[in-house]
Amino acid sequence: MNGHAVESGSHLTQAGIEAAKTMAHEESAIKELDASELKITRATAPRVVPEVNSKEVFDMKTCTDHMVKVTWTRDEGWHAPEIEQYGPLTMMPIASCLHYATQCFEGMKVYRGYDGKLRLFRPDKNCARLNMSSARVALPQFDPVELGKLMKKFLGIDGPKWLPKSRPGTFLYLRPAIIGNGSEIGVTAPAEVLLFMVAVLWPDFSAPRPGTKPAPPGLKLLASKNDTRAWPGGFGYAKVGANYGPAFVAHMEGRKLGYDQILWLLGPEHHVTEAGASNFFVVWKTKQGALQLVTAPLEGKIILEGVTRGSVLELARERLIEGSKYLTPEVGSIEIVERQYTMPEIVEASKEGRLVEAFVAGTAYFITPVSAINFKDEEIEIPMGDDGSSGHYAALIKKWLRDIMYGNVDHKWGVVIDEE
Amino acid sequence: MNGHAVESGSHLTQAGIEAAKTMAHEESAIKELDASELKITRATAPRVVPEVNSKEVFDMKTCTDHMVKVTWTRDEGWHAPEIEQYGPLTMMPIASCLHYATQCFEGMKVYRGYDGKLRLFRPDKNCARLNMSSARVALPQFDPVELGKLMKKFLGIDGPKWLPKSRPGTFLYLRPAIIGNGSEIGVTAPAEVLLFMVAVLWPDFSAPRPGTKPAPPGLKLLASKNDTRAWPGGFGYAKVGANYGPAFVAHMEGRKLGYDQILWLLGPEHHVTEAGASNFFVVWKTKQGALQLVTAPLEGKIILEGVTRGSVLELARERLIEGSKYLTPEVGSIEIVERQYTMPEIVEASKEGRLVEAFVAGTAYFITPVSAINFKDEEIEIPMGDDGSSGHYAALIKKWLRDIMYGNVDHKWGVVIDEE
């Protein structure tokens, strides 16, 4: 409310003032998320850190010693955050999150730098997106800055052991999530919610799983035929569980046919949207000869606003311009284009020899080149650079991002964590 | 495989026969769901049954004494089913169902008949639909007949106490569900799954919540403006969590504006699909004067194939025909139409005085008349019968269904449960 209105000469009646006071009181009773209230209970059964890219890590079942938990209730708001030993969650079988997908999450990585420091990459972006996703599935709002503080505190505790300085160039996967976990089966916004955060041992997907041969470089994508990931008026832009489970069947069918990911198309014109759970970029020459880096736009709320996607675009717009010191003999200046584009455009570019390269961008798969797309049972080959390992733009942008993540360069996007 | 091929003269080599044997062995190692393996552990802390439509019941947090649990693993298939005391589920924070909405459920009711018997209504339909929903979110398949057996056994134990013979005409809500609950954060089909089933004390939504005034009869619907519930290539036809949580925000906005449910429209032509979490029916006269009962079609896989919806259509097709003994002075024969239809058609029918009535049909809201629809900020009034409580078709069909559910008539859809 507007404070001025309560001053003398206000049109508020006494009853109105009382009502305003009552409201203010009620509002203050609903507590905000407050990282300064954090309670820490150390793990009593710490575990052994597995080897990098070991089978255990590829199984993606191992978390670090601790986890963050914060309860929210409709009546009281956010309770005091806690860091405690990693362990099971308990909830009644009628918890909303198990039936109605009242759940959202973030995917981030924490990096052990070559300079020995621990870093997050643009954590403010993920914290803000989690808040947005939470609202989309009727879960509560919070101050993203406070979540960022909890994240740093958590990683300050588990980072030194689980991402040791003896392993520069490695990372952990960080998974914050919010779920409606109260005992209530009503089809409505949950009255009790849990925000939690765990750190998972995560493989480098470009390395082979122990006991298997290295995969050829480059992802092979299968363009979706009947399944649609997201739709106008839907929730494709939010990182909510509802975007993932329903996509697994198409993904599994693709794997059976020898493809790594689904390239999600939309509508009768076959607009290109995302690849698997990553954003998708293509580099082509236009019919007029202009070199372009193209990706789907955020407008329409179909695709996820990937942090990696945004960073690729920002770096490209800053560095891939005429006269830039970052240009190389292989990588010249390029137009950056966010627009709706279609699979038939890619097919045409391929046929006319204008297709330069393509790659996916996201946290899980980072920057990974794409070597082929199957569209309507025809496979389009995509150039993979001179040595067949990656297109030049993908390789250069990947290097820039790695340099920031692992502290080879000092950059505002690399946020250093204070360690215990 | 075809058994004949293994006989003499077969083209199978010895190696092929060995391989077939191995496969057969592996297949037999994956166990099917088998209700005969049920283990029962009685509750040690049975609770008190609350009053019908009490505040506790309206809170929808109370379940009966027991629950069904069946574990499935990728390596072993379905484990032995268990009935045990109702209580919390435990899972690791990285369980798939908490992040990727690998979850599906059913909503059913069990009825205490006026003849003293306990009945389910067409449980085979729900068991089959759960199996279909499970497949849609990469969860395992099972024999629906076995699930039906578990359901009956469970209700045979908890029914006598929680739905006592002293309360004819009451019901419990039955909630079977399947979730990916193993410890694995990979974006893929879960390797460990839990099928569970609980029975919830459920209010009669047509009765007032204790301490509140009775609501006027008839639901007021707000036609969706920007949000879309389901789309071609999506999963609107499956009863998966992903269809629910993302719809809560629109529902809450509707409630704030004084509407009970969202009427979900699709596409630029505003096709009418579902209302809230129920199917939607309208009765109108065509411009040519034909009386029609109209609902959205299953083709296109946009709407849920409601058991109540199907039963309304079947009964209407059987009983609302010329010469039927079921016709009344108010309710004559009618054409039954499943087709795509639009909100502008309803508006036009209303303006031309051809709108007869409308109702929703589903398990939670059963058959409830609709009194108004807000479309593009204009409210369309819908006739509510002579006494303002319900249109005649809704009232008659509701009575037919209740008679089956509560044993006033003997009908194959009412499945009697053997009680302990």
Side-chain angles (χ1 to χ4, degrees):
Chain A
M1 58 172 289
N2 183 342
H4 293 289
V6 191
E7 291 173 5
S8 61
S10 153
H11 60 276
L12 275 185
T13 61
Q14 189 59 32
I17 293 171
E18 290 305 317
K21 279 185 188 165
T22 306
M23 277 177 63
H25 175 74
E26 278 177 8
E27 271 171 25
S28 72
I30 302 295
K31 286 191 69 264
E32 298 289 328
L33 180 61
D34 182 353
S36 74
E37 294 189 336
L38 177 64
K39 298 176 201 164
I40 300 171
T41 310
R42 301 281 165 167
T44 52
R47 281 163 294 112
V48 172
V49 181
E51 291 300 313
V52 174
N53 291 333
S54 59
K55 183 185 171 298
E56 183 181 348
V57 171
F58 265 92
D59 284 345
M60 296 158 77
K61 294 183 177 191
T62 306
C63 291
T64 61
D65 288 326
H66 295 90
M67 63 188 295
V68 178
K69 285 167 80 173
V70 199
T71 292
W72 175 93
T73 56
R74 190 181 293 152
D75 294 338
E76 298 180 45
W78 291 101
H79 296 212
E82 297 185 74
I83 287 179
E84 59 183 51
Q85 180 165 305
Y86 176 76
L89 301 179
T90 293
M91 67 193 78
M92 294 312 272
I94 56 173
S96 175
C97 64
L98 302 178
H99 301 266
Y100 307 130
T102 44
Q103 54 183 242
C104 58
F105 67 93
E106 274 302 317
M108 313 166 64
K109 283 176 180 167
V110 55
Y111 307 89
R112 176 60 72 189
Y114 291 101
D115 61 352
K117 290 182 184 167
L118 204 59
R119 280 182 185 78
L120 284 165
F121 181 76
R122 311 187 81 180
D124 53 320
K125 294 280 180 192
N126 296 89
C127 293
R129 191 172 63 185
L130 186 63
N131 201 33
M132 177 277 288
S133 299
S134 190
R136 184 63 187 82
V137 285
L139 292 169
Q141 298 293 275
F142 55 88
D143 181 351
V145 173
E146 296 300 307
L147 179 62
K149 289 178 188 169
L150 290 176
M151 204 173 268
K152 288 168 203 161
K153 190 73 194 172
F154 169 48
L155 296 172
I157 293 173
D158 273 359
K161 170 178 168 182
W162 290 87
L163 211 49
K165 290 191 179 178
S166 60
R167 295 179 182 177
T170 62
F171 62 88
L172 292 172
Y173 183 85
L174 188 64
R175 171 59 61 94
I178 307 179
I179 58 175
N181 71 330
S183 177
E184 41 177 345
I185 205 167
V187 179
T188 187
E192 189 175 338
V193 164
L194 181 72
L195 183 160
F196 65 91
M197 185 166 13
V198 297
V200 192
L201 283 282
W202 200 263
D204 177 353
F205 287 125
S206 66
R209 187 187 173 97
T212 67
K213 286 184 192 163
L219 297 174
K220 294 181 71 177
L221 306 183
L222 176 64
S224 62
K225 284 184 180 171
N226 304 312
D227 283 9
T228 306
R229 177 188 169 275
W231 189 261
F235 39 87
Y237 63 100
K239 207 161 179 75
V240 296
N243 282 321
Y244 292 80
F248 287 178
V249 174
H251 178 64
M252 286 155 61
E253 286 170 358
R255 296 290 288 225
K256 268 188 204 160
L257 297 170
Y259 294 89
D260 300 293
Q261 300 284 351
I262 298 297
L263 182 64
W264 293 104
L265 307 183
L266 176 63
E269 296 173 59
H270 305 296
H271 286 114
V272 179
T273 63
E274 292 191 17
S278 304
N279 294 114
F280 180 79
F281 287 80
V282 63
V283 178
W284 64 29
K285 279 193 174 133
T286 64
K287 284 176 185 289
Q288 293 73 34
L291 195 63
Q292 291 184 335
L293 174 67
V294 184
T295 198
L298 301 178
E299 290 78 54
K301 293 191 163 184
I302 299 299
I303 67 162
L304 191 77
E305 185 175 354
V307 178
T308 313
R309 172 190 181 278
S311 304
V312 167
L313 291 171
E314 284 186 61
L315 288 182
R317 286 196 170 107
E318 185 186 305
R319 299 182 178 183
L320 296 176
I321 53 174
E322 210 62 56
S324 161
K325 66 176 181 182
Y326 291 97
L327 301 184
T328 69
E330 294 85 18
V331 175
S333 66
I334 190 166
E335 282 178 34
I336 313 298
V337 180
E338 290 174 81
R339 71 160 169 93
Q340 285 197 330
Y341 66 106
T342 67
M343 201 57 224
E345 287 184 86
I346 292 180
V347 172
E348 193 182 17
S350 171
K351 283 186 180 157
E352 296 176 2
R354 298 185 282 105
L355 201 52
V356 178
E357 61 176 280
F359 58 91
V360 303
T363 296
Y365 279 85
F366 193 31
I367 305 288
T368 303
V370 171
S371 61
I373 301 172
N374 178 316
F375 175 60
K376 294 187 173 177
D377 299 324
E378 293 201 17
E379 196 162 293
I380 302 150
E381 267 193 59
I382 301 182
M384 285 282 291
D386 302 335
D387 66 355
S389 70
S390 170
H392 296 299
Y393 284 91
L396 186 62
I397 292 169
K398 184 175 178 176
K399 182 186 179 309
W400 291 343
L401 288 168
R402 277 186 60 91
D403 281 349
I404 297 170
M405 291 160 173
Y406 291 105
N408 290 336
V409 298
D410 197 34
H411 194 283
K412 62 182 175 185
W413 292 350
V415 176
V416 174
I417 312 263
D418 290 329
E419 296 176 77
E420 287 195 344
Chain B
M1 58 171 289
N2 183 340
H4 293 289
V6 191
E7 292 173 2
S8 63
S10 152
H11 61 277
L12 274 186
T13 62
Q14 189 59 33
I17 293 170
E18 291 304 317
K21 279 185 190 165
T22 308
M23 276 176 64
H25 175 73
E26 278 177 10
E27 271 171 26
S28 71
I30 302 297
K31 287 190 69 266
E32 297 290 331
L33 180 61
D34 183 353
S36 74
E37 294 188 338
L38 177 64
K39 298 176 201 164
I40 300 171
T41 310
R42 301 280 165 167
T44 53
R47 281 164 295 111
V48 172
V49 181
E51 290 302 313
V52 174
N53 290 332
S54 59
K55 183 184 172 299
E56 183 179 348
V57 171
F58 265 92
D59 284 345
M60 295 157 77
K61 295 183 177 192
T62 306
C63 291
T64 60
D65 287 327
H66 295 89
M67 63 189 295
V68 178
K69 286 166 80 172
V70 199
T71 292
W72 175 93
T73 57
R74 190 181 293 153
D75 294 339
E76 298 180 45
W78 292 100
H79 296 212
E82 296 185 74
I83 286 180
E84 59 182 51
Q85 179 165 306
Y86 177 76
L89 301 179
T90 294
M91 66 194 80
M92 293 312 272
I94 56 174
S96 175
C97 64
L98 302 178
H99 301 267
Y100 308 131
T102 43
Q103 54 184 241
C104 59
F105 67 92
E106 273 303 318
M108 312 167 64
K109 284 176 179 167
V110 54
Y111 307 88
R112 175 60 70 188
Y114 291 102
D115 62 351
K117 290 183 184 166
L118 204 60
R119 279 183 185 78
L120 283 165
F121 181 76
R122 311 186 81 181
D124 54 320
K125 294 281 179 190
N126 296 89
C127 293
R129 190 171 63 185
L130 186 65
N131 201 32
M132 177 277 288
S133 299
S134 189
R136 184 62 188 83
V137 284
L139 292 169
Q141 297 294 276
F142 55 89
D143 181 350
V145 172
E146 296 300 308
L147 179 62
K149 290 178 189 168
L150 290 175
M151 202 172 269
K152 288 166 203 160
K153 189 74 193 170
F154 169 47
L155 296 172
I157 293 173
D158 274 358
K161 169 177 169 182
W162 290 87
L163 211 49
K165 289 190 179 179
S166 59
R167 294 180 182 176
T170 61
F171 62 89
L172 291 172
Y173 182 85
L174 188 64
R175 171 59 62 93
I178 306 179
I179 58 175
N181 71 329
S183 178
E184 42 177 343
I185 205 167
V187 180
T188 188
E192 189 176 337
V193 164
L194 182 72
L195 183 160
F196 65 92
M197 184 166 13
V198 297
V200 192
L201 283 280
W202 200 264
D204 177 353
F205 287 125
S206 65
R209 188 187 172 96
T212 67
K213 286 184 193 165
L219 297 174
K220 294 181 70 177
L221 306 182
L222 175 65
S224 62
K225 283 183 180 172
N226 303 311
D227 283 9
T228 306
R229 176 189 168 275
W231 51 86
F235 40 86
Y237 62 101
K239 207 160 178 75
V240 296
N243 281 321
Y244 292 80
F248 286 178
V249 174
H251 178 65
M252 287 156 60
E253 287 170 359
R255 295 291 288 225
K256 269 190 204 158
L257 296 170
Y259 294 90
D260 299 293
Q261 300 285 350
I262 298 297
L263 182 65
W264 293 103
L265 307 183
L266 177 63
E269 296 173 59
H270 305 296
H271 285 114
V272 179
T273 63
E274 293 191 14
S278 305
N279 293 114
F280 180 78
F281 288 79
V282 63
V283 178
W284 65 28
K285 278 194 172 133
T286 64
K287 285 176 185 288
Q288 292 73 36
L291 195 62
Q292 291 185 334
L293 174 67
V294 184
T295 198
L298 301 177
E299 290 77 53
K301 292 191 165 186
I302 300 299
I303 67 163
L304 191 76
E305 185 174 354
V307 178
T308 313
R309 172 190 181 278
S311 304
V312 167
L313 291 172
E314 284 186 60
L315 288 182
R317 287 198 169 108
E318 186 187 305
R319 299 182 178 183
L320 296 177
I321 52 174
E322 210 63 56
S324 161
K325 65 176 181 183
Y326 292 97
L327 301 184
T328 69
E330 294 85 19
V331 174
S333 66
I334 190 167
E335 283 179 32
I336 314 298
V337 181
E338 290 174 81
R339 70 159 169 96
Q340 286 197 329
Y341 66 106
T342 68
M343 202 55 224
E345 287 184 85
I346 292 181
V347 172
E348 193 182 16
S350 171
K351 284 188 179 155
E352 296 175 1
R354 298 185 282 106
L355 201 53
V356 178
E357 61 176 279
F359 58 91
V360 303
T363 297
Y365 280 85
F366 193 30
I367 305 288
T368 303
V370 170
S371 61
I373 301 171
N374 178 316
F375 176 59
K376 294 187 174 177
D377 300 324
E378 293 202 17
E379 196 162 294
I380 301 151
E381 268 193 58
I382 301 182
M384 285 280 291
D386 301 335
D387 66 354
S389 70
S390 171
H392 295 300
Y393 284 90
L396 186 62
I397 292 170
K398 183 175 178 177
K399 182 186 178 309
W400 290 344
L401 289 168
R402 277 186 59 88
D403 281 348
I404 296 170
M405 291 161 173
Y406 290 105
N408 290 336
V409 298
D410 197 36
H411 194 282
K412 63 184 175 183
W413 292 348
V415 176
V416 174
I417 314 263
D418 290 329
E419 297 176 76
E420 286 195 345

